[in-house]
Amino acid sequence: MKTFYGRANPTTGALDWVEESEEYDYHQEIARSCYADMLHDHDRNKKYYEGIRAAVTRVKARGEKVIVLDIGTGTGLLSMMAVTAGADFCYAVEVFKPMAEAAQCIVEKNGFSDKIKIINKHSTDITVGPDGDMQVKANVLITELFDTELIGEGALPSYEHAHQNLMQDRCEAVPHRATVYAQLVESELLWSWAQLQPVEVEGARLVPPPAVGRCAGAHAVCDIQLSQVSPASFTPLGPVCTMFTVDFSKPVSSAFQAHSSQFVAQSSGRAQVVLSWWDLDMDPSGSIVCTMAPSWTYQEPKMAPWRDHWMQSVYFLPVESQVTEGEELSLMVCHDDYSLWYSLQPRSQRGSQTEAPPSRPCCTCQAHLVWTRPRFGELNDRRRTESYISALRSVLREDSVCLSVSDGSLLPVFAHMLGAKKVFGLENSQMSKQVIDEVLEANSMKGRVELLEIRLEQLTSNDVGGEQISVLMGEPYFSTSLLPWHSLFFWYCRTALAGLLRPNASILPRAASLHMVAVEFQDLWRIRAPCGTCEGFDVTPMDEMVQRSLDFHESREAEPHPLWEYPCRALTQSTAAMTFDFTQCLPQQPISSQGSLSFIREGRCHGVALWMEYHLTDDITVSAGLTGPINEQGDCEWSRHRKQGVYFFGSPWEISGDGRAAVSYSFTFEPSLGDIRMDFTVTSQ
């Protein structure tokens, strides 16, 4: 049966009623689950297997039957490891029904049905007893409940409940313990993701509102592939500190806790950011360790395992502070049942033990709710800002009447500072309007820019004081955009506003182009690659389940990824595959483009990277993708501010690089749908 879904279209800005199968959401969730990434993590699998063997051996040495509780079993892999290691019986818990069904198939396919029971429930709903889900309590607890922040998936409440209700008193746990580490650093790059920096415009200084500088920021963790942040981008102010450990073999508490680590500052600088990660000790002796440490902590960085399901965390301190080399400092971490936060104090200023620890950060300035961390970085990108200022300077006149169409943009402020007669800014929410208002007030420009919180289609000449717009500008940036071409919403806005524009109005940007390059990913391919067998176990039922869901919809679409975190090599030259002329209104007919790119480098082609470039004027372009030329080896440097699109091929192509093979492409932009249909074919001569 088909169902109509109301869905906001990020390109057109309209609410579309789309006919989809009733299975659409089901397949979407499976297709985006990325279970394959975890199963491709050989280091994780190997360490779990070693830890499970050791735990089963310890329990058997006590003369006991080994009864395993595996919470969050996924494919059932860890339960199958436990039975192979000698466990007598496993209760494998999986709350996600499609995955529980796949686990049942996998367990049967591998011949473990008599030793493993799949329970499709949340672990806190499990009953124990003759008529319960579990006949008896378990004495080995195996879990994989962790996220990048360790506890963000509810690990502590799940452990707490399991020890109280599902486990025997003398139980073993795999992993046995977790240890959280942190390092205090100064980093202009990372700090630019948290605080708005001053901007120089025509000799004047635009400063951020004081409330933004005092704000502790958004409480959500910033999880990234920290291995891709060069050590040259930050200065360590102290050593890597052990912050706290959690022993999973003993009762665990999900209550609020605070821990501190004292150290001596290694260098002077501005304390801004805390880098954090964790290790898992799979056994009590600590001889089997699975670490999330970034690659630059390794003696041989290339030996660091890659994983995307667990990364590293960046925490921004509530306030920036100056520290001096040799100063004694105290770094504190607090956590509730789901999240962590950090604070710093000179050891001499530490309060009494009764002093309340800092509460979880909460944005009080609204800016951290309006601007994401990549957006903060974009607003703080000086070179990008200079491009927009130069472009504005070239089109503005003394009598210019400007209208800005972008979310939470500083363009209208720049236009006023550059001497425009009147400036209007169209904002999509009261919150973003308030943030830009505060920027204006902090710089004594209150009332100099008129911010309009009004729906685009309702905007009339009266809203802009009866004036005709001479400069329509946008970055374009919209908070609802996920894929690069969603920013074509600017074209729809430009078309809707055509009646308010002067005949010779300047449009900035004048045009945009969709670029592409065929690539070989260093590691990102793992999130789409089938597993087949994993540590000797057949997991093809999961591969088949994921592939069915990909074929349902996802395999024909690109998906957004921040490619600066995921290195790749270009196997072809890059090209502008489509161009969109914003000086003209949106056409009514589809726009199509076809072509081909020859492979010029040897490698495995996993797919195509896609991004937008905005042509502000005839000679000023801003890229939301490649930020420099591709080098001889094919290495790419990507913008950190926007996500690029990735179209994965169903299977990788082995490319010789002799120019005999090419990737053919076709794109069709449907103005009525606000979407781009694309197709790629690899051909050889």
Side-chain angles (χ1 to χ4, degrees), residues 370-371 375 378-379 384 388 403-412 424-429 432-433 436 451-452 456 472-479 487 489-490 493 508-509 642:
V370 169
W371 295 325
R375 178 63 171 157
E378 187 168 60
L379 294 172
R384 180 181 181 277
Y388 278 95
L403 174 62
S404 172
V405 182
S406 275
D407 293 348
S409 176
L410 297 178
L411 285 188
F424 300 91
L426 194 61
E427 291 293 343
N428 72 345
S429 72
S432 60
K433 177 176 178 291
I436 303 303
L451 301 177
L452 308 171
L456 182 75
L472 177 65
M473 55 192 179
E475 300 191 39
Y477 172 83
F478 304 101
S479 58
S487 62
F489 178 52
F490 180 76
C493 296
L508 190 157
R642 305 272 182 112

Side-chain angles (χ1 to χ4, degrees), residues 293-314:
S295 62
W296 36 258
T297 65
Y298 284 66
Q299 285 190 337
E300 296 183 45
K302 291 185 178 179
M303 299 302 293
W306 183 86
R307 43 178 71 98
D308 202 44
H309 50 101
W310 296 330
M311 293 184 279
Q312 296 80 38
S313 301
V314 173

Side-chain angles (χ1 to χ4, degrees), residues 20 53 87 120 122 205 244 248 302 338 344-345 390 418-419 432 447 453 457 478 480-481 517 552 603 635 660 668:
E20 295 282 9
R53 288 194 194 100
N120 179 208
H122 195 284
R205 198 164 190 255
F244 68 93
F248 298 125
K302 291 185 178 179
Y338 279 92
L344 179 71
Q345 287 181 316
S390 295
L418 289 168
S432 60
E453 186 197 351
E457 62 272 17
F478 304 101
T480 53
S481 298
V517 64
F552 184 81
D635 298 327
R660 295 183 180 180
T668 301

Side-chain angles (χ1 to χ4, degrees), residues 419-456:
K421 174 187 169 185
K422 280 191 178 181
V423 183
F424 300 91
L426 194 61
E427 291 293 343
N428 72 345
S429 72
Q430 175 62 37
M431 194 179 296
S432 60
K433 177 176 178 291
Q434 177 184 328
V435 169
I436 303 303
D437 256 333
E438 289 176 356
V439 171
L440 293 167
E441 186 170 0
N443 290 274
S444 303
M445 299 181 199
K446 189 74 170 175
R448 307 288 181 85
V449 174
E450 188 170 344
L451 301 177
L452 308 171
E453 186 197 351
I454 187 171
R455 291 181 63 85
L456 182 75

Side-chain angles (χ1 to χ4, degrees), residues 234-290:
F234 60 86
T235 302
L237 301 180
V240 174
C241 299
T242 300
M243 299 307 301
F244 68 93
T245 62
V246 183
D247 187 337
F248 298 125
S249 293
K250 297 177 181 177
V252 172
S253 172
S254 62
F256 170 90
Q257 292 186 35
H259 310 270
S260 61
S261 180
Q262 284 72 48
F263 62 94
V264 174
Q266 294 177 340
S267 59
S268 299
R270 295 170 296 161
Q272 299 169 324
V273 175
V274 175
L275 310 180
S276 184
W277 58 88
W278 45 268
D279 287 354
L280 295 176
D281 287 328
M282 294 298 182
D283 67 326
S285 70
S287 60
I288 308 168
V289 181
C290 185

